[in-house]
Amino acid sequence: MKIAVLPGDGIGPEIVAQAVKVLQALRHDGLKIELEYGHIGGAGYDAEGDPLPLATLKIAQQADAILLGAVGGYQYDKLARPLRPEQGLLRIRKELGLFANLRPAILYPELASSSTLRPEVVSGLDIMILRELTGDIYFGQPRGVRILANGERQGFDTMLYSESEIRRIAHVGFKIAMQRAKKNGQGKVCSVDKANVLDTSMLWREVISEVALGYPEVMLSHMYVDNAAMQLVRAPKQFDVIVTGNIFGDILSDEASMLTGSIGMLPSASLDANNKGLYEPCHGSAPDIAGKNIANPLATILSVAMMMRHTFALEDVAQRIENAVRRTLQSGARTADIAETGSEKIGTMEMGDAVVSAL
Ligand code: NAD
């Protein structure tokens, strides 16, 4: 198992170090894990003048999976756009063809009080948002700002989805629903679009429905994105897997992550057509708390569980890691972001150690 480790910026190195402890514990158990480190983001710019240095891209291309911390920092805000840390992330996703972004929103019952929603609405929540990551209005051409005949400026972008792009994300969605059905007995996909207004969405709906015919055991429903945004807050547990395009997924996955109230808990995966993947926490580099040993490493550790499940097809190992996290929370261990006011808190390293001993 060749894993590229790209800690990045801010809290990235601290939280990735805890996830690496988990990988090392698995190595002691007999898994053949090789780690290779590279710079990305601001760290790439500092070391080699490029947020995605060639050496890092090579390491990532040769690896089976990539573990990433986070990128970004105030000190890079004034750089030209191609040199900014987030370009490293956008480019690595594009270079590796990572078109399927999986963002689970899970609320462990122990943390039900961290959500801003009532515990009975969110407790035990376990949904998966699957966002298409390499198409849509973020990449469609033409785009730009033009001057109209009357001298006024006009901004424009183009929403584009080809049939093959929709088809491949649909397959990922139905397969994930089947995999999850083994655990939750549901097997449901809700495809989210705006087919009442957008032609792109009409094609999206048609193609998703065609692909669904190949997965008779999965129940497919369609929902308009405005309704989906409302339903996610009203009754989020009605969903199992949500499949959607890049821009709708961007917004809905952030909304869903906040249902759990704890950004430090949420992992993500971005996969290519062969299940090679980049695994990272949903949160950013949190420069406000970097270097203080207070960041929550659980999202990064849970990203390792996703790596075991989706790239290496080791469901048992994935569940062992998730169970270790659950037991750690049950034992009362909390970093500052998930601790109740006035209760005891532990640091980043201590949380990593607690998960390793639970494992
Ligand atoms: P952020 O996610 O870094 O932080 C938002 C808030 O959540 C902060 O208060 C932070 O302290 C807290 N937080 C985040 N992760 C935490 C953790 N593991 N434990 C405890 N608290 C945590 O978002 P931001 O402040 O908007 O952005 C900061 C930098 O991160 C920016 O440069 C931004 O561009 C970058 N960013 C990177 C990614 C990525 O690498 N994928 C994603 C989002 C933002």
Side-chain angles (χ1 to χ4, degrees):
M1 302 160 75
K2 274 180 113 167
I3 302 172
V5 182
L6 314 180
D9 310 319
I11 58 170
E14 298 168 63
I15 53 177
V16 163
Q18 309 316 310
V20 166
K21 280 185 196 163
V22 168
L23 286 168
Q24 279 161 346
L26 295 172
R27 187 148 62 183
H28 277 294
D29 269 8
L31 289 189
K32 293 204 169 65
I33 296 175
E34 272 177 49
L35 304 178
E36 199 164 353
Y37 283 78
H39 298 298
I40 194 163
Y45 175 78
D46 289 341
E48 304 181 43
D50 185 348
L52 181 62
L54 205 59
T56 302
L57 182 60
K58 272 211 179 117
I59 293 171
Q61 281 166 334
Q62 285 162 5
D64 302 308
I66 299 136
L67 176 66
L68 189 136
V71 301
Y74 311 130
Q75 67 272 45
Y76 308 108
D77 283 353
K78 293 212 167 74
L79 290 175
R81 201 199 287 177
L83 298 177
R84 291 175 61 133
E86 58 273 22
Q87 288 299 316
L89 201 51
L90 292 177
R91 274 170 51 204
I92 199 170
R93 287 176 182 156
K94 196 83 188 159
E95 291 280 351
L96 300 180
L98 305 173
F99 68 92
N101 183 224
L102 281 61
R103 286 182 49 169
I106 296 174
L107 183 57
Y108 293 94
E110 294 79 16
L111 301 181
S113 63
S114 339
S115 176
T116 49
L117 296 193
R118 284 202 307 276
E120 66 270 23
V121 177
V122 285
S123 180
L125 178 76
D126 181 353
I127 63 178
M128 173 71 82
I129 306 227
L130 175 61
R131 163 188 173 195
E132 202 288 333
L133 203 58
T134 53
D136 208 347
I137 196 163
Y138 294 166
F139 295 95
Q141 293 291 343
R143 61 187 293 176
V145 177
R146 60 191 162 204
I147 313 280
L148 297 178
N150 65 3
E152 189 189 6
R153 286 176 303 162
Q154 183 182 55
F156 60 101
D157 296 273
T158 305
M159 180 175 269
L160 283 181
Y161 263 122
S162 63
E163 212 174 330
S164 57
E165 286 174 315
I166 305 169
R167 205 173 287 285
R168 68 179 183 177
I169 194 78
H171 281 292
V172 176
F174 288 111
K175 284 186 183 142
I176 289 173
M178 285 176 61
Q179 206 174 27
R180 286 167 58 90
K182 289 184 203 143
K183 257 198 326 190
N184 66 15
Q186 293 192 51
K188 294 195 295 187
V189 165
C190 177
S191 169
V192 170
D193 61 36
K194 189 75 184 166
N196 49 344
V197 179
L198 299 171
D199 287 346
T200 317
S201 279
M202 278 165 61
L203 180 70
W204 176 278
R205 194 173 274 221
E206 224 177 279
V207 174
I208 297 267
S209 303
E210 280 166 28
V211 174
L213 299 175
Y215 300 87
E217 53 283 80
V218 179
M219 208 171 85
L220 171 67
S221 60
H222 299 277
M223 197 179 274
Y224 297 135
V225 63
D226 40 352
N227 186 24
M230 183 182 79
Q231 295 297 336
L232 266 175
V233 181
R234 194 187 69 85
K237 285 191 261 184
Q238 69 183 284
F239 296 107
D240 177 16
V241 177
I242 291 178
V243 181
T244 189
N246 205 345
I247 188 166
F248 299 152
D250 191 358
I251 299 162
L252 292 182
S253 60
D254 264 26
E255 185 190 2
S257 70
M258 271 299 107
L259 296 175
T260 70
S262 45
I263 187 108
M265 293 293 304
L266 298 168
S268 78
S270 304
L271 307 179
D272 77 358
N274 304 309
N275 289 331
K276 173 172 177 159
L278 182 144
Y279 298 85
E280 58 179 327
C282 287
H283 59 73
S285 57
D288 52 333
I289 58 167
K292 297 183 178 159
N293 192 43
I294 55 177
N296 185 347
L298 293 179
T300 318
I301 290 173
L302 290 167
S303 300
V304 173
M306 290 189 84
M307 179 191 290
M308 294 298 147
R309 172 172 295 124
H310 296 288
T311 290
F312 298 116
L314 294 173
E315 178 62 31
D316 55 329
V317 180
Q319 285 188 23
R320 275 184 60 201
I321 299 171
E322 287 163 354
N323 288 336
V325 168
R326 197 162 294 138
R327 278 204 302 277
T328 304
L329 291 172
Q330 279 162 2
S331 77
R334 300 281 188 275
T335 42
D337 57 309
I338 50 174
E340 290 193 25
T341 342
S343 63
E344 203 183 320
K345 306 170 183 92
I346 61 171
T348 310
M349 284 191 272
E350 293 70 30
M351 186 58 111
D353 292 339
V355 175
V356 169
S357 43
L359 189 67

